[in-house]
Amino acid sequence: MKIKAYIIIFGLLTFSWSCQEETKPIDISSEDYHQMVDKVTEVMVHDIFSPPVASRIYVYPNIAAYETLNQNSKSYKSLANQLNGLKDITPEKVNINKNLRLAALIAYLNVAKELVFSKEKITSYRDSLYAIWETNNLAEYNNAKGYGLAISEQIINWMQDDQYAETRTMPDYNIYTDDPSQWEPTPPAYMKGIEPHWNKLRPFVLDSASQFKPVPHPKFSLQEDSEFYKELMEVYNITNAIRKKGDDCEEIEIARFWDCNPFVSVNKGHFMFAEKKITPGAHWIGICKIACQQTNADFEKTVYAYTKTSIAIADAFISCWDEKYRSNLIRPETLINKYIDTEWTPILQTPPFPEYTSGHSVVSGASSEVLTEIFSDNFVFDDTTELPYGLPMRSFKSFRLAAKEAATSRLYGSIHYRAAIDVGLEQGIKLGYLVNNNLSFLK
């Protein structure tokens, strides 16, 4: 009997030791975070979110992940009491040995699923990861999950006070006006103005949507010697000159590379459908990913880079949209078709909102300044962001040069006057300076 008892005890101990050997810490890398951001981008493209709304979908999950990582970090500071309206974060009291990287991923997904239409896509992706983590180390997973959800719920509560929900019930932009300078819907879909109340959202770092109110655009005039008319004719003449070069010329390649218009309507016979693309903010999020991977940034720096970049992008849209619906400037396409050439069409499809200032210019200026501060000036990189959408890679010697090309692309695309591009880029650069100087991330 004693021999049998020893055998049973030995067997139980052997089973216990083997279980302990199979239970390993859950290893989370920066690539896991990149994949998560890519998944959210994929869902946003599927749901066809407008550029301003897409910026909101990026920023809150990144902040949730950042705050989950950095409540007691030796290297990074919490953004509580730095971002508008974000008060002290109260960490959940869980085991001190929690896996913060894992908790950050859980926090990111918990916020992201609240921001998209296709919640089931995020939930399915989340559940597949949960199943893997549970299998690998149930105790570590549960501990991290409790912490990540606790932090992310506080971010969600803060997020819900940003006035986004209130703007969903506000009236559409009124296109009925006798003012010839005012924006009108453009072909082929003649869509209504997108997000006319975006300036009412709570900004993140800006003291108000109008903090960097740009100088007025050149006074509207169809007199041939006026500055405005000269800019209008510049768009017309450049487009005609580009078309003579052919579809494979560099100007058209640049225009298409930076198009990032999620509202492109394609006509096939009697049918019209949307050609799905990323937004300008998503393009710069993609550049952030490239910089992180190229420098082998660790998990913590990767989350920091995404968070800071997405904050700059979000405030850039609030700042730009504030001016767009203040000036309500008419697009070149409308004026050229009315007064110059009824057969003329732009290189790119005109986006459905007023012209001044250029959203690409503002977002690119802000993003490039933030990324330059994180990764240094003269950062040489190959931009492969558009490869999934059938566009070739372009190479840049710095983020600032990429931003300048992105801004200029709007002239090559025939959808902006020069003032909107130049002033918009300056507007974005000022915003990037503000984010760099007013937010303290590093200890």
Side-chain angles (χ1 to χ4, degrees), residues 106-125:
I106 292 169
Y108 184 101
L109 287 170
N110 193 46
V111 176
K113 70 178 175 59
E114 299 300 317
L115 291 162
V116 298
F117 296 144
S118 300
K119 296 183 187 298
E120 72 284 354
K121 291 183 178 293
I122 298 292
T123 302
S124 176
Y125 176 70

Side-chain angles (χ1 to χ4, degrees), residues 55 58-59 62-63 285 305-315:
S55 73
Y58 279 123
V59 68
N62 280 320
I63 292 172
I285 288 292
Y306 274 118
T307 303
K308 192 170 187 178
T309 304
S310 63
I311 288 171
I313 291 169
D315 266 4

Side-chain angles (χ1 to χ4, degrees), residues 316-380:
F317 275 107
I318 292 172
S319 177
C320 182
W321 253 243
D322 177 60
E323 178 56 38
K324 279 189 179 295
Y325 285 96
R326 178 188 299 109
S327 52
N328 284 329
L329 186 60
I330 196 165
R331 290 278 183 168
E333 179 176 15
T334 307
L335 291 179
I336 291 172
N337 286 162
K338 277 186 178 181
Y339 300 106
I340 300 171
D341 185 346
T342 57
E343 301 299 318
W344 182 90
T345 56
I347 300 292
L348 300 178
Q349 194 172 117
T350 302
F353 35 79
E355 192 271 348
Y356 190 79
T357 49
S358 157
H360 274 61
S361 302
V362 181
V363 169
S364 297
S367 300
S368 65
E369 290 305 316
V370 166
L371 288 169
T372 296
E373 195 271 343
I374 297 171
F375 296 103
S376 80
D377 199 1
N378 302 317
F379 186 94
V380 179

Side-chain angles (χ1 to χ4, degrees), residues 110-321:
N110 193 46
V111 176
K113 70 178 175 59
E114 299 300 317
L115 291 162
V116 298
F117 296 144
S118 300
K119 296 183 187 298
E120 72 284 354
K121 291 183 178 293
I122 298 292
T123 302
S124 176
Y125 176 70
R126 178 202 66 187
D127 290 347
S128 68
L129 293 176
Y130 278 9
I132 295 170
W133 296 332
E134 283 178 339
T135 302
N136 288 350
N137 192 321
L138 181 60
E140 185 178 34
Y141 160 72
N142 283 333
N143 197 29
K145 183 179 179 183
Y147 188 76
L149 293 181
I151 299 293
S152 62
E153 287 300 324
Q154 294 175 68
I155 299 301
I156 290 172
N157 290 336
W158 168 61
M159 174 184 80
Q160 290 172 341
D161 287 333
D162 71 353
Q163 297 300 302
Y164 174 78
E166 288 78 358
T167 63
R168 300 307 89 190
T169 60
M170 292 178 182
D172 293 338
Y173 169 72
N174 182 7
I175 64 172
Y176 300 104
T177 175
D178 293 328
D179 187 339
S181 73
Q182 297 293 278
W183 178 80
E184 299 175 17
T186 50
Y190 295 94
M191 294 177 63
K192 62 185 180 183
I194 298 298
E195 299 298 340
H197 305 287
W198 201 253
N199 65 340
K200 297 178 177 64
L201 265 68
R202 177 188 61 208
F204 292 85
V205 186
L206 291 166
D207 61 25
S208 69
S210 61
Q211 182 174 353
F212 294 117
K213 179 181 177 182
V215 298
H217 58 81
K219 185 177 179 181
F220 177 83
S221 172
L222 295 178
Q223 295 295 320
E224 292 186 5
D225 61 347
S226 69
E227 186 65 27
F228 183 87
Y229 189 80
K230 290 176 183 177
E231 288 200 358
L232 175 64
M233 289 304 299
E234 181 183 30
V235 175
Y236 179 68
N237 292 329
I238 284 178
T239 300
N240 292 341
I242 288 173
R243 282 217 162 93
K244 287 180 181 179
K245 293 183 179 182
D247 281 350
D248 58 349
C249 72
E250 186 175 23
E251 291 89 343
I252 288 182
E253 288 181 359
I254 290 171
R256 289 174 176 166
F257 184 78
W258 294 101
D259 185 15
C260 305
N261 180 3
F263 295 108
V264 171
S265 299
V266 179
N267 293 291
K268 295 288 185 181
H270 297 293
F271 298 97
M272 179 181 289
F273 59 91
E275 183 179 90
K276 295 184 178 182
K277 297 181 181 180
I278 58 173
T279 62
H283 193 132
W284 280 98
I285 288 292
I287 292 174
C288 178
K289 174 186 175 180
I290 290 167
C292 288
Q293 291 179 321
Q294 187 169 313
T295 57
N296 295 316
D298 62 18
F299 188 90
E300 288 72 20
K301 184 173 181 180
T302 295
V303 175
Y304 155 59
Y306 274 118
T307 303
K308 192 170 187 178
T309 304
S310 63
I311 288 171
I313 291 169
D315 266 4
F317 275 107
I318 292 172
S319 177
C320 182
W321 253 243

